[in-house]
Amino acid sequence: MTTTKKLKWLLVLVLIFGGFTLYKFFEGLAHNPVYQAYEWIFKIVSEFGLFVSVIVSVGYFHHWFIAAEEHKEADISLRETLSQYVDSILLNSVKRGFLGITNKEFDFSQIMRGLKPGDYVYWLITFDPRFKNKSRELENAIKTGVHFRILILQADCRSGELRAEETNGFNPHEFNEYSKLFKVSLEDVISRIDDTITGTLGVFVYDGLPSLPLFTIIRKESRKVEVYNSFYLTEPVSKMPYLHWETELKSGNHELFESDHWNMSDLFLDYFKKRWEMEKAKFNPATESDDNKTFLYAPSLARDKCLGLFAETK
C-alpha cells in the first residue's frame, strides 16, 4: 500500500473515531448542570461529531462492500462490450486469443520475473544478441523450478547466411558469431545447473527455416497458454515488437484449424511441438561430439525429461 493510501485510511479512522469521541464528550458536557448555560452549543457539537462518524462509517462500508462490487460488475460489462467491438473491428481477434502488442522490444526480464515453479517455456529463435546479459535470469528461473525448451539456429548454416543478408546491421560472419555466442551462453548456464535443481533446460540446435520468433509460456497453475510472436523482417528481431496471445491449456489431442474454435495460441503451440519433434527424431546420441552438439540439456541426469515437452494432464 502506498503512503498516500495509508494516509487516506488513517484520515478515515480519525474521522470515525474522532467524531464518535467528540459526540460522547460533548454529550456528557451537555448533561452536566455546571455547563447548563452552554447546553445548546454542546449539543450542536455533539450531534455534529455523531453525524461525521456515521457518515464516514457509511461511506467506508459502501466503498468496501457495495462500490467495489459495482465497480467489478461495471468492469466486466465494459470488457464484454469492448471485446465485442474489438472482435468485430479486428476480425475475431479476441475470439482467436489476441491480447495486444508489446511496446516495441520484448521485455525478457519482466517475463522471467512472472514465471512460477512448474511452468514450461518454449522458445524458438535464431539467437538473441542481448542474451549474454540476460542469461542469469534464465538460470535463476530454472533453479526455481521452471522448465525451458529452446530451439536455436546452428551457426554457419545456409539459413543463417540468408537471414543475415536480409537483416539491417548484420553480415553473415557477424551473424554466425552471434549464433555461436548464444550457444556458448546457454552452455555456460548449463554448467551451473546441478542435479539438485528441480527445473530443466533442453536445447536443440536446428539448421532449417527460422520461420518466426516464438516465445510460449505454459502456466501450470492457471492452465493458460501465453504466446508472444514476432516476425523476421529487415530489423533484428531483438528490436522488434511482439504480438501477445492467450488461451486455455487443453488436454489431449484436439483438432485445431478444422474447428470453429481454433485459437492462434494453439496453432503456435502446435507448431513448436512439431519443430521440436522433428529435431528430436534426428537426434542420435552416438553421433554427438563435444565440438558439434545438437542437443544441450541440464541437469545432467535428466536427459530424457529434457527431451520431453509439457505433460498435459486434466
Side-chain angles (χ1 to χ4, degrees), residues 226-292:
E226 196 171 353
V227 177
Y228 296 86
N229 84 279
S230 191
F231 307 94
Y232 287 119
L233 303 177
T234 55
E235 289 299 317
V237 70
S238 59
K239 296 182 179 180
M240 289 287 291
Y242 277 66
L243 276 63
H244 189 189
W245 311 84
E246 186 181 80
T247 188
E248 299 286 338
L249 176 63
K250 301 175 180 63
S251 300
N253 296 321
H254 295 268
E255 293 182 351
L256 297 177
F257 206 55
E258 292 77 8
S259 169
D260 183 54
H261 302 290
W262 64 270
N263 186 289
M264 286 299 299
S265 297
D266 292 329
L267 297 178
F268 286 129
L269 180 59
D270 188 58
Y271 179 73
F272 183 93
K273 289 179 178 179
K274 187 172 185 65
R275 289 293 299 267
W276 183 267
E277 292 302 324
M278 287 168 59
E279 299 304 320
K280 183 177 176 180
K282 294 189 294 185
F283 173 61
N284 185 355
T287 61
E288 290 279 281
S289 65
D290 292 336
D291 297 330
N292 188 31

Side-chain angles (χ1 to χ4, degrees), residues 168-217:
N168 294 333
F170 282 98
N171 57 60
H173 173 73
E174 185 179 14
F175 194 93
N176 283 329
E177 290 303 308
Y178 270 116
S179 296
K180 293 175 183 177
L181 178 61
F182 193 33
K183 182 180 178 182
V184 168
S185 298
L186 289 170
E187 290 174 333
D188 186 48
V189 171
I190 287 172
S191 69
R192 294 192 295 271
I193 303 297
D194 59 45
D195 292 318
T196 64
I197 303 302
T198 55
T200 59
L201 171 63
V203 182
F204 272 121
V205 183
Y206 69 91
D207 61 359
L209 295 173
S211 64
L212 79 169
L214 190 59
F215 195 96
T216 302
I217 305 168

Side-chain angles (χ1 to χ4, degrees), residues 69-268:
E69 190 63 29
E70 290 177 347
H71 177 76
K72 184 178 178 180
E73 291 177 359
D75 185 57
I76 293 173
S77 178
L78 178 61
R79 286 178 179 273
E80 290 176 349
T81 303
L82 284 175
S83 294
Q84 291 175 2
Y85 279 105
V86 172
D87 216 30
S88 61
I89 295 170
L90 297 181
L91 302 176
N92 296 318
S93 60
V94 175
K95 183 178 181 180
R96 305 311 176 195
F98 183 65
L99 294 183
I101 304 174
T102 62
N103 186 16
K104 207 162 186 182
E105 294 183 16
F106 182 65
D107 193 339
F108 185 84
S109 299
Q110 183 181 7
I111 297 297
M112 290 295 105
R113 289 193 294 269
L115 297 175
K116 297 181 179 180
D119 289 348
Y120 272 73
V121 176
Y122 300 163
W123 193 10
L124 171 59
I125 198 169
T126 53
F127 64 84
D128 189 334
R130 307 164 300 173
F131 182 74
K132 185 173 176 57
N133 299 324
K134 304 290 185 181
S135 60
R136 185 66 68 177
E137 294 169 350
L138 172 69
E139 179 184 340
N140 291 338
I142 296 171
K143 288 182 177 179
T144 60
V146 181
H147 307 280
F148 288 83
R149 302 295 180 262
I150 306 176
L151 291 166
I152 65 173
L153 187 64
Q154 178 180 309
D156 300 316
C157 70
R158 178 57 177 162
S159 295
E161 182 181 342
L162 293 172
R163 175 60 189 147
E165 291 175 352
E166 66 183 14
T167 308
N168 294 333
F170 282 98
N171 57 60
H173 173 73
E174 185 179 14
F175 194 93
N176 283 329
E177 290 303 308
Y178 270 116
S179 296
K180 293 175 183 177
L181 178 61
F182 193 33
K183 182 180 178 182
V184 168
S185 298
L186 289 170
E187 290 174 333
D188 186 48
V189 171
I190 287 172
S191 69
R192 294 192 295 271
I193 303 297
D194 59 45
D195 292 318
T196 64
I197 303 302
T198 55
T200 59
L201 171 63
V203 182
F204 272 121
V205 183
Y206 69 91
D207 61 359
L209 295 173
S211 64
L212 79 169
L214 190 59
F215 195 96
T216 302
I217 305 168
I218 301 176
R219 300 193 185 277
K220 182 180 179 180
E221 184 176 309
S222 62
R223 297 194 65 77
K224 296 278 189 180
V225 177
E226 196 171 353
V227 177
Y228 296 86
N229 84 279
S230 191
F231 307 94
Y232 287 119
L233 303 177
T234 55
E235 289 299 317
V237 70
S238 59
K239 296 182 179 180
M240 289 287 291
Y242 277 66
L243 276 63
H244 189 189
W245 311 84
E246 186 181 80
T247 188
E248 299 286 338
L249 176 63
K250 301 175 180 63
S251 300
N253 296 321
H254 295 268
E255 293 182 351
L256 297 177
F257 206 55
E258 292 77 8
S259 169
D260 183 54
H261 302 290
W262 64 270
N263 186 289
M264 286 299 299
S265 297
D266 292 329
L267 297 178
F268 286 129

Side-chain angles (χ1 to χ4, degrees), residues 8-48:
K8 286 182 178 179
W9 287 118
L10 179 61
L11 177 62
V12 168
L13 294 176
V14 168
L15 290 174
I16 291 174
F17 292 105
F20 187 75
T21 301
L22 198 67
Y23 161 71
K24 294 297 291 183
F25 179 74
F26 282 94
E27 180 74 7
L29 291 178
H31 290 86
N32 191 326
V34 178
Y35 302 109
Q36 189 172 4
Y38 304 100
E39 179 182 358
W40 65 277
I41 298 177
F42 293 152
K43 283 190 174 183
I44 290 175
V45 176
S46 173
E47 293 298 326
F48 176 75

